[in-house]
Amino acid sequence: MSYAPFADAAHPPELREIAEAVTGPGPGGTILLSGMPGIGKSTLLEQAAQHARAAGHRVLRAVAGPAEAALPFATLHQLLRPVRDAVTELPVRQRAALQGAFGLGETGDPPDPMLLGVAVLTLLSELATEAPVLALLDDAQRADRASLDVLAFVARRIGEERVSLLIAVENGDSLTGFDAHRSAFELGPVEPAVAERLLDRQPRPPVGEARRRVLDESEGNPLALVELAGTVASEGEPGAGGAAPAIATRLVRRWGDRLTEMGRPARHCLLVLALSAADPAEPVLALLPEASDQMWATAESAGLIHRTGGRISFRHPLVRSAVHQAASFEERRAAHLALADALKEDPDRRAWHLAAITTGPDKDVSAALEHGAHRARRRGGYAAAARALERAAELSVDRADHVRLIASATEMAVMTGQLAWVERLAALTRVWTDDPVPLAVAALQTGRIMAFTTSHTAAFRQLIAAARQLTAGHTEGALQALSAAAVIRFYSGEESQRDEIETLLLGMLGDPPADSLPFTARWLMTVAGTLDSAGLGPELPHLIATAEQQPERLHLLGVAAWMLDETGLAIRSFDASFALWSSRGPLPDGLGGVAAMTYLEHGRWVRAQALCAELAAVADTYGLDHAAACAASVDAMALALRGDTTRAREQAARAWSLIDPSESRAVAVHTHRALGIAATAAGDHEGAYAHFRAAFEADGRPVHYQASTPALPELAAAAVRSGHHREAADVIEYATRSGDSRSTRARALLLHSRALLADPDHAKTHFRAALALSTPSDRPFEHARILLDYAEWLRRRRRIAEARPLLTESLDVFRRLGARPWAARAQAELRATGTQVAAAEPDAFIDLTPQQQQIAHLAARGLTNREIGEMIFLSPRTVGSHLYRAFPKLGITARSQLRDVLLPTRGKRRPPDR
């Protein structure tokens, strides 16, 4: 009853395209194959594997199953088990991360998700140097979430590798993280002519009315065709008319009927096999007869299993379901108990087998699941930990344990990014208790995950409610809720939210001196925009110095420093935080875009774009639209500054598509600024003015209390060139009256804006005051822009001698940064002064892509491809490929020449990133 030989006939275009994709001469990629059960996905995977093996490729394969869905990295372990010896050749930290995920080696902090992804990518890349690699995953919708997250990471970064991923998933099941970076094939029913040929090739092809019924009932499903044809041959007509159930249901019923004809011992063995992993361990195999046993021959002739050498597997995943459904509870209980007894050395699997047959409270099984959850968490398997804790709660003996375990499950579910799951667990808390503390904690967890989505108003209300409930006697929990609410306030820019946070905070803590407030309170006040009360600024240098081994605190301090316009301190803090390689779990930081914006302002544009890419990758994996929008808006700004206006607009469009501008004013303003900069670079000053003006309300108020201020000089410059002088002056006047100059930087921005719009006789005073306050080391582009505007004003007043050095300095900065439109403008101004400007020698470094720039600079510092790959989450082979393409652009032929070209030796220029 096999239809495998007819795969070529059933889906010829798909098979040809897949075979060409996985065995072609170019780099690999990711192919997603979807279709209803029985449509031919597994057969196509096998055919692709055969093509790949014939072409000399290494094939790795995993079949996901329900027995391992609750075990972290089980599917990944199955996939990589044949190459486990190669894991020992990985760099130390990558090897430790991968072994930790598999429960090997020492237990400690959960492995960094990005480092774990790099480890698998490096492993596959190294294997591909010997022969191209094809990794197959069947029934992906059943795989554990941790494995899918790693494979999604690999899929996004395959790049130039000779590695292909071929993944089969049932229709209607989406694989989060695989939406992009892949080709997709959806298998539909076979054509009538193909169905006819498939029937003709069966051992006893049906004829007449029976044939018509088989063709009608199978609906073009190859597995159904074969099964129904076999039923007709042995039992007569396939159906009895009436409304037909779904094909999968019909097939399961037919296999169930065959199972009832087999003896109890055979059903028990098949059930043990069905409840086991796809690749059963030795203790499980010991429960089953040898592959040569007659029982297996009977099961094979019934179309239930395949025997390949000594390996036994179900003919189709639906057979596994049929075996399970056909068994009585007592039969399932006996099989689970047998497996639990056999797996005493594997406590996690044992716990789940016991849990499957436990119908009431059981303290021991609940405790076993809780211990398993702790192990899963240490390995980075947050979804598995949450599932185990949820089931442990169901089996707990008393109410207090139930509430505690559900709370822990909710916390772990937050780390998966699955809002619906978190909301369901929070609802269970409300069912089991009316204690305000656990209820508030559940609300806090729900609000945390909602903050990554676009439901900011609802998230804020949830967090504020949680903070109120936790105020009495649970100050730290209340401060956590308010901190999360402050992040939402930052993005929303909603003034009423700031007032609500401040009122609640002062009601909880009173009105003590700022320096006596807890750090968390001062931090959240800074983020929320209640800066006058926080008083954090003067202490930042000391706080950063004393937090040198605390990466999470350093990150928070970096955010606070940026909010206070202390860019240099923010950079120092972020550099120290990232250098410690701290793993804070798989979710992005709530203010992940802040670090990227800090590096952008600091002139480290390549680093900024690299951080945007990392944030976008994590956001895509977990479906966190708002985090993805943050990354896109900052990246759009970086691209616009470089003069890459097309890609800047593309990224801006992506940001717009992911947010509600009224709920995320910060991202909206950043996106408007990116589009305004792109319009300026293209010479469209009217369009630029419209975008910069959108950063302010009709009456001149800033749309966002922090993000709008940097747009002031951009607005003024565009207004002068587009005839909107008066309107822009009203905005600047509003900013002056409102005292929107709480930092030195803000005052410099305001003075620069006033200089651009001032009467010619008064502009000089404003320009010079702006330059005096500007800090070129902290924000080189902003400083160079003041120099350029001032120099233009001087030249137009024929003060050539004063203009030239300013133009020369600004040109040098723009060239170093790669700000091509502004470099061209400074160069034109210099020529207008009569200065002979040497044609800038082509800046080969700037011609590299941002990623090539980062790789070239790291290589120039002596880092190996492996070390570079680990730092920027690429495989060594991809790093080498980027360098290979960069060498001709830089005019060099060897890695040893990078140092002379890029590093600042004997006065040579320095690349714009470090």
Side-chain angles (χ1 to χ4, degrees):
M1 295 185 185
S2 172
Y3 74 99
F6 310 109
D8 285 327
H11 300 289
E14 290 87 350
L15 180 59
R16 282 196 297 271
E17 289 186 53
I18 291 171
E20 290 172 3
V22 301
T23 61
T30 301
I31 300 172
L32 203 59
L33 191 64
S34 63
M36 65 187 297
I39 206 67
K41 301 183 298 296
S42 299
T43 301
L44 274 179
L45 257 62
E46 180 56 36
Q47 294 286 320
Q50 292 177 15
H51 278 282
R53 290 191 188 99
H57 294 216
R58 183 194 292 268
V59 177
L60 305 174
R61 186 165 191 171
V63 181
E68 295 183 308
L71 301 173
F73 304 107
T75 302
L76 185 66
H77 184 268
Q78 183 191 155
L79 185 72
L80 299 181
R81 187 178 177 187
V83 294
R84 56 187 178 275
D85 290 344
V87 173
T88 61
E89 302 300 319
L90 289 172
V92 174
R93 292 178 59 254
Q94 294 182 30
R95 180 175 69 244
L98 192 52
Q99 290 177 336
F102 291 157
L104 308 172
E106 297 181 6
T107 58
D109 292 333
D112 186 315
M114 302 290 272
L115 182 60
L116 182 57
V118 170
V120 176
L121 183 62
T122 301
L123 176 65
L124 296 176
S125 175
E126 294 293 327
L127 293 172
T129 61
E130 302 171 3
V133 174
L134 172 61
L136 304 170
L137 174 56
D138 203 356
D139 266 356
Q141 75 280 355
R142 299 179 184 272
D144 65 277
R145 185 66 251 175
S147 293
L148 287 177
D149 289 344
V150 173
L151 292 175
F153 177 98
V154 172
R156 289 192 299 271
R157 286 170 170 78
I158 286 176
E160 299 298 316
E161 307 298 334
R162 296 192 301 168
V163 176
S164 298
L165 302 181
L166 180 52
I167 300 172
V169 62
E170 281 190 9
N171 273 354
D173 291 290
S174 61
L175 291 184
T176 304
F178 290 89
D179 295 335
H181 311 283
R182 49 80 172 156
S183 303
F185 293 90
E186 183 175 348
L187 300 184
V190 298
E191 296 293 330
V194 175
E196 295 274 8
R197 290 201 301 273
L198 184 53
L199 283 184
D200 288 339
R201 296 182 188 182
Q202 297 306 299
R204 296 171 64 185
V207 295
E209 180 62 19
R211 185 183 184 93
R212 185 191 65 77
R213 291 288 301 278
V214 167
L215 289 169
D216 288 346
E217 288 194 24
S218 64
E219 299 175 358
N221 184 295
L223 181 60
L225 278 164
V226 173
E227 283 297 318
L228 293 175
T231 301
V232 167
S234 59
E235 304 168 11
E237 290 291 317
I247 288 173
T249 303
R250 277 181 277 168
L251 292 174
V252 168
R253 285 181 185 173
R254 292 181 187 280
W255 284 317
D257 291 342
R258 292 177 198 164
L259 284 163
T260 59
E261 299 170 3
M262 304 184 73
R264 187 181 183 89
R267 291 201 304 272
H268 175 76
C269 291
L270 287 168
L271 186 56
V272 167
L273 187 64
L275 296 175
S276 302
D279 188 10
E282 286 298 326
V284 174
L285 293 176
L287 299 174
L288 303 172
E290 295 289 334
S292 58
D293 191 279
Q294 180 58 38
M295 186 273 293
W296 297 121
T298 303
E300 188 171 30
S301 65
L304 301 174
I305 65 164
H306 281 311
R307 287 187 296 175
T308 307
R311 179 183 173 82
I312 298 168
S313 59
F314 286 109
R315 181 177 169 217
H316 191 275
L318 285 176
V319 178
R320 187 186 294 267
S321 299
V323 172
H324 191 271
Q325 291 180 27
S328 67
F329 175 77
E330 286 306 317
E331 288 174 323
R332 291 197 298 273
R333 177 181 175 80
H336 278 297
L337 283 174
L339 286 163
D341 188 61
L343 293 169
K344 289 178 179 177
E345 300 301 316
D346 191 340
D348 294 340
R349 283 185 169 85
R350 182 176 188 274
W352 277 108
H353 282 298
L354 293 174
I357 54 171
T358 304
T359 56
D362 189 307
K363 182 178 181 180
D364 293 336
V365 177
S366 178
L369 287 168
E370 185 176 3
H371 290 317
H374 294 324
R375 285 189 290 272
R377 184 189 181 281
R378 287 197 299 270
R379 293 164 59 187
Y382 299 99
R387 289 183 64 174
L389 288 165
E390 182 178 2
R391 182 61 175 142
E394 293 169 355
L395 299 179
S396 58
V397 174
D398 62 59
R399 196 178 201 86
D401 271 348
H402 187 102
V403 174
R404 175 182 62 82
L405 290 166
I406 282 293
S408 297
T410 308
E411 182 181 2
M412 289 297 99
V414 167
M415 305 304 285
T416 71
Q418 298 181 46
L419 176 59
W421 191 6
V422 174
E423 289 178 326
R424 181 173 63 78
L425 291 171
L428 288 175
T429 302
R430 293 192 291 273
V431 170
W432 278 85
T433 184
D434 56 4
D435 185 333
V437 175
L439 290 174
V441 171
L444 167 59
Q445 302 292 8
T446 308
R448 284 179 62 201
I449 189 65
M450 289 173 69
F452 291 108
T453 70
T454 53
S455 304
H456 280 177
T457 299
F460 185 83
R461 297 261 60 84
Q462 184 102 349
L463 291 164
I464 288 294
R468 285 201 178 96
Q469 288 180 305
L470 291 166
T471 296
H474 298 277
T475 302
E476 185 55 38
L479 289 175
Q480 288 181 20
L482 285 177
S483 293
V487 172
I488 293 176
R489 145 65 180 167
F490 167 74
Y491 283 120
S492 74
E494 178 60 51
E495 292 300 308
S496 63
Q497 291 180 354
R498 181 202 64 184
D499 296 341
E500 203 163 350
I501 290 170
E502 191 171 53
T503 299
L504 191 52
L505 187 64
L506 293 178
M508 180 172 58
L509 301 176
D511 193 12
D515 58 4
S516 67
L517 287 171
F519 170 77
T520 305
R522 299 170 72 189
W523 181 86
L524 73 88
M525 292 169 73
T526 300
V527 171
T530 59
L531 303 181
D532 295 337
S533 328
L536 200 57
E539 294 183 55
L540 280 173
H542 172 72
L543 291 171
I544 292 170
T546 56
E548 58 182 11
Q549 294 302 316
Q550 303 173 57
E552 292 187 19
R553 191 175 180 90
L554 282 166
H555 189 86
L556 292 175
L557 288 167
V559 169
W562 181 77
M563 295 284 183
L564 295 168
D565 285 331
E566 296 289 349
T567 305
L569 288 174
I571 286 291
R572 175 180 161 190
S573 212
F574 285 131
D575 278 348
S577 177
F578 292 134
L580 291 172
W581 281 88
S582 173
S583 173
R584 293 183 295 275
L587 292 186
D589 183 88
L591 290 166
V594 167
M597 183 62 82
T598 304
Y599 283 104
L600 185 70
E601 291 175 355
H602 195 58
R604 293 166 65 176
W605 294 355
V606 174
R607 180 64 173 139
Q609 290 186 277
L611 286 174
C612 288
E614 292 170 25
L615 177 59
V618 176
D620 288 345
T621 295
Y622 294 97
L624 305 175
D625 287 350
H626 192 264
C630 292
S633 66
V634 179
D635 191 44
M637 205 175 301
L639 291 165
L641 289 168
R642 293 180 182 280
D644 191 345
T645 57
T646 300
R647 290 175 59 206
R649 292 187 183 104
E650 290 172 355
Q651 283 291 70
R654 173 167 168 72
W656 281 130
S657 71
L658 295 171
I659 64 163
D660 177 348
S662 66
E663 291 222 336
S664 188
R665 293 180 179 91
V667 176
V669 169
H670 288 153
T671 305
H672 272 303
R673 283 192 64 205
L675 290 169
I677 294 168
T680 299
D684 176 13
H685 301 297
E686 186 69 41
Y689 175 80
H691 283 296
F692 295 135
R693 185 62 182 83
F696 302 90
E697 303 286 1
D699 62 359
R701 286 180 298 126
V703 167
H704 187 272
Y705 63 96
Q706 201 276 343
S708 292
T709 304
L712 285 170
E714 296 165 337
L715 171 70
V720 169
R721 290 171 171 80
S722 61
H724 294 279
H725 189 287
R726 183 63 264 163
E727 297 95 318
D730 290 341
V731 176
I732 307 304
E733 181 60 26
Y734 184 98
T736 304
R737 290 197 314 270
S738 64
D740 191 16
S741 53
R742 292 167 291 187
S743 69
T744 301
R745 181 202 184 190
R747 291 195 295 275
L749 290 166
L750 189 57
L751 286 164
H752 184 192
S753 307
R754 294 176 68 183
L756 289 166
L757 295 173
D759 180 274
D761 295 334
H762 299 95
K764 176 181 177 180
T765 301
H766 297 311
F767 273 126
R768 293 180 69 85
L771 283 173
L773 295 176
S774 179
T775 52
S777 59
D778 282 356
R779 288 174 291 275
F781 182 80
E782 281 185 13
H783 184 79
R785 199 172 53 188
I786 301 173
L787 290 172
L788 176 58
D789 289 336
Y790 183 28
E792 285 181 336
W793 180 87
L794 289 169
R795 186 188 68 78
R796 281 160 177 71
R797 271 135 203 90
R798 302 186 182 281
R799 297 165 67 169
I800 305 301
E802 294 175 73
R804 281 175 181 153
L806 304 183
L807 290 169
T808 300
E809 185 179 349
S810 66
L811 176 60
D812 181 65
V813 173
F814 293 139
R815 283 179 173 173
R816 176 169 60 83
L817 294 175
R820 293 180 175 179
W822 285 265
R825 191 173 128 205
Q827 188 170 309
E829 284 291 327
L830 262 176
R831 287 187 176 131
T833 66
T835 304
Q836 291 294 319
V837 183
E841 48 178 271
D843 200 335
F845 188 83
I846 292 174
D847 285 335
L848 303 183
T849 67
Q851 196 164 62
Q852 287 172 352
Q853 290 182 14
Q854 189 176 21
I855 290 170
H857 194 91
L858 292 171
R861 287 167 47 192
L863 276 69
T864 66
N865 286 1
R866 277 192 171 192
E867 291 169 334
I868 295 170
E870 192 168 296
M871 289 182 68
I872 62 175
F873 311 114
L874 295 174
S875 74
R877 183 182 173 89
T878 299
V879 171
S881 177
H882 280 299
L883 283 174
Y884 179 78
R885 288 197 296 271
F887 283 0
K889 296 179 183 179
L890 294 171
I892 61 176
T893 58
R895 193 187 195 100
S896 59
Q897 296 171 285
L898 281 169
R899 186 175 184 83
D900 291 335
V901 172
L902 299 183
L903 295 186
T905 307
R906 295 187 300 277
K908 292 186 178 179
R909 68 175 174 80
R910 182 178 193 153
D913 231 287
R914 300 184 296 282

